[in-house]
Amino acid sequence: MRRFVKDNALSLFFLLAFLAALVGQSIAGTADYNATQLSDGGEPVSWPAYVTSSDFAVDVAENWQSEYLQFLLFIMVTVWLVQRGSPESKKPGEEGAQSDQEQKVGPHARPSSPAWAKTRGLRQSVFSNSLGLVMGLVFLLSWLAQSVAGTAAYNNRQLAQLQDPVSWGAYVASADFWSRTLQNWQSEFLAVLSMVVLSVYLRQRGSPESKPVGAPHATTGEEN
């Protein structure tokens, strides 16, 4: 067990942090929702009722879809785009998907390489793009969940105000949906931009996300 925890400490830390933040969000969200309910003359709800509501689902889903969009775009654009001096980038001149030899696939695979990296055709193609495919799938599913839950939450507010509900298509085209979506996207893009640019000039000793402290600013793609 100690070996397992040590070997997986990074993922375990972020899993626990994620769960703690999700629980905290649900508790704070219940309190905020009930405060709004009371101010509007409605009835407060229990914690289980809130966490199974469309209001909680849309808040969670819209954060998930923006996070996975961030990673999807970063994974894909770093294949072709570079930032000189950033450890988050390939070196200038190395743009592109690279050769089979550089990627160690097919006849260039090592004995310890994943089984699908040693194959040819569809399986190798799928495995070669599996990270982007999974990130893209999770993004699309969480975006769909956001849109469906958002439609339900929006219609609940409409009915409470004695107004007509809207269809899923109408909500996806609405200002409410895109306001919620874009406020998440812009923060994710700013975070990636900050990481790419600041890592050119700033260091964090011992972190694999940083260049060695003594590395020149122009050094690209080098990590601790």
Side-chain angles (χ1 to χ4, degrees):
M1 179 59 72
R2 287 184 179 179
R3 178 63 181 272
F4 175 81
V5 171
K6 183 177 180 181
D7 289 349
N8 298 277
L10 187 60
S11 56
L12 289 173
F13 171 82
F14 279 104
L15 174 61
L16 293 175
F18 160 72
L19 293 175
L22 186 63
V23 171
Q25 177 189 353
S26 70
I27 294 172
T30 303
D32 181 64
Y33 182 84
N34 284 335
T36 302
Q37 284 288 95
L38 293 172
S39 67
D40 292 342
E43 293 292 327
V45 301
S46 64
W47 179 80
Y50 176 71
V51 297
T52 55
S53 70
S54 58
D55 289 87
F56 180 68
V58 68
D59 288 342
V60 172
E62 73 181 23
N63 283 305
W64 287 14
Q65 61 92 2
S66 63
E67 294 290 347
Y68 279 96
L69 175 63
Q70 172 197 156
F71 284 115
L72 172 63
L73 290 179
F74 192 66
I75 290 167
M76 301 309 296
V77 300
T78 52
V79 175
W80 301 100
L81 304 180
V82 298
Q83 176 63 52
R84 183 179 295 276
S86 176
E88 303 297 323
S89 167
K90 294 190 292 188
K91 297 177 181 179
E94 295 182 355
E95 298 90 340
Q98 301 181 318
S99 66
D100 287 355
Q101 183 176 4
E102 291 172 311
Q103 287 292 309
K104 301 178 178 61
V105 297
H108 305 286
R110 297 173 177 175
S112 58
S113 295
W116 280 28
K118 302 175 183 178
T119 63
R120 293 181 178 274
L122 180 61
R123 286 191 295 172
Q124 186 192 111
S125 180
V126 169
F127 186 67
S128 296
N129 297 281
S130 54
L131 182 58
L133 289 171
V134 170
M135 289 291 184
L137 178 61
V138 176
F139 162 68
L140 290 175
L141 291 176
S142 54
W143 183 89
L144 179 61
Q146 177 200 351
S147 67
V148 172
T151 303
Y154 183 83
N155 284 336
N156 287 338
R157 295 194 297 270
Q158 288 288 96
L159 293 172
Q161 297 170 2
L162 303 180
Q163 296 181 3
D164 292 332
V166 301
S167 65
W168 174 82
Y171 177 69
V172 168
S174 71
D176 182 83
F177 176 79
W178 285 106
S179 175
R180 297 175 68 100
T181 298
L182 292 172
Q183 70 177 335
N184 282 281
W185 287 8
Q186 56 87 13
S187 64
E188 302 301 339
F189 298 155
L190 177 61
V192 173
L193 172 64
S194 300
M195 185 64 180
V196 169
V197 176
L198 293 178
S199 63
V200 175
Y201 304 102
L202 305 180
R203 309 287 189 270
Q204 182 58 55
R205 186 168 185 155
S207 174
E209 300 305 313
S210 168
K211 293 184 288 190
V213 177
H217 291 324
T219 300
T220 308
E222 181 178 345
E223 300 177 342
N224 276 307

